[in-house]
Amino acid sequence: MIRSFLSVLLAVQFSFCPERPRMIRYFDYEFTQKQALSIAKDSLLDLGYKIDLSAPEGYFFLTKSQPVEKDIRKYNYRIAVVVEDRVEVVIVANRQIFKRDSEASIGGRDLIQTQTSDKLPYSLQRSIFYPIIDEFSRNGLVEVLDITLKNNA
C-alpha cells in the first residue's frame, strides 16, 4: 500500500517538471510613448547594446546580435523592444548546433547549424534580464510581475 502510494507520488512529481519561463518581460511607464521608447533605448545603450534596427514610428527597436555561452552550447541573442501600453522586452535567440561527423558534409562545410530557440536556459535569461531590469528601474520603467487580467481590471 505504502509502496504503491510512493510510486504514484513519485510519478506525479516527475510529471510536473518545471518549464523554463518565456523570454519576455513587461514594464509600466508614466511617460509618453515616445519618451518611454527613448528611455528604453538609452538604457540599453548604457548597458553596451548596439541598436541594429529602429522604427520610431512603430515604437520598436532591435539590438545587434550578442554571443553568449552556456557550458558547451553557444547562443546568439538580440533584444527586441516594443512600446505600446507597456514596454515589452523580448529576447530573440538562436542556438548553434554542431553536427556529428555522420551528418556533416564532406569538406567541412555546414558543420554548424543554427536553430531558433524560444527558451534559453533560465540562468542565461537571468544574466540578460537582471541588468536590463535594474537599468530600466533606475530610469522610471517599472517591471510588471503579474500580467494577468485580475490586476488590470
Side-chain angles (χ1 to χ4, degrees):
M1 175 83 174
I2 292 176
R3 179 176 279 183
S4 62
F5 174 74
L6 289 176
S7 63
V8 169
L9 182 65
L10 187 61
V12 169
Q13 189 76 14
F14 281 121
S15 69
F16 290 113
C17 291
E19 188 175 304
R20 288 178 254 174
R22 295 180 60 210
M23 300 187 304
I24 189 167
R25 296 291 185 273
Y26 296 96
F27 298 86
D28 279 332
Y29 61 92
E30 295 182 5
F31 313 103
T32 65
Q33 199 173 10
K34 189 178 257 186
Q35 288 172 325
L37 179 70
S38 177
I39 289 170
K41 187 181 288 187
D42 291 342
S43 297
L44 288 179
L45 288 172
D46 290 345
L47 289 172
Y49 290 97
K50 293 181 175 78
I51 306 302
D52 186 29
L53 176 68
S54 181
E57 65 280 353
Y59 303 102
F60 168 82
F61 69 89
L62 186 66
T63 66
K64 290 191 180 226
S65 184
Q66 300 276 357
V68 66
E69 292 184 18
K70 170 72 174 165
D71 300 327
I72 60 171
R73 293 192 176 100
K74 294 183 180 182
Y75 299 91
N76 289 322
Y77 73 92
R78 302 169 88 173
I79 304 293
V81 176
V82 179
V83 179
E84 292 176 338
D85 294 339
R86 295 184 168 131
V87 177
E88 184 176 312
V89 180
V90 182
I91 299 175
V92 181
N94 61 29
R95 181 174 64 173
Q96 295 179 353
I97 300 171
F98 295 98
K99 292 183 178 180
R100 288 179 260 146
D101 290 333
S102 63
E103 297 174 356
S105 65
I106 297 174
R109 289 180 284 141
D110 299 330
L111 287 175
I112 300 174
Q113 177 183 7
T114 58
Q115 180 183 46
T116 302
S117 178
D118 63 342
K119 293 184 181 175
L120 287 176
Y122 187 58
S123 61
L124 283 180
Q125 289 187 44
R126 281 194 322 243
S127 68
I128 295 168
F129 274 129
Y130 282 179
I132 294 171
I133 291 168
D134 290 343
E135 189 69 25
F136 277 19
S137 295
R138 273 191 288 262
N139 294 319
L141 301 174
V142 180
E143 183 182 15
V144 178
L145 299 175
D146 185 10
I147 61 166
T148 59
L149 294 174
K150 66 180 178 183
N151 288 343
N152 296 334

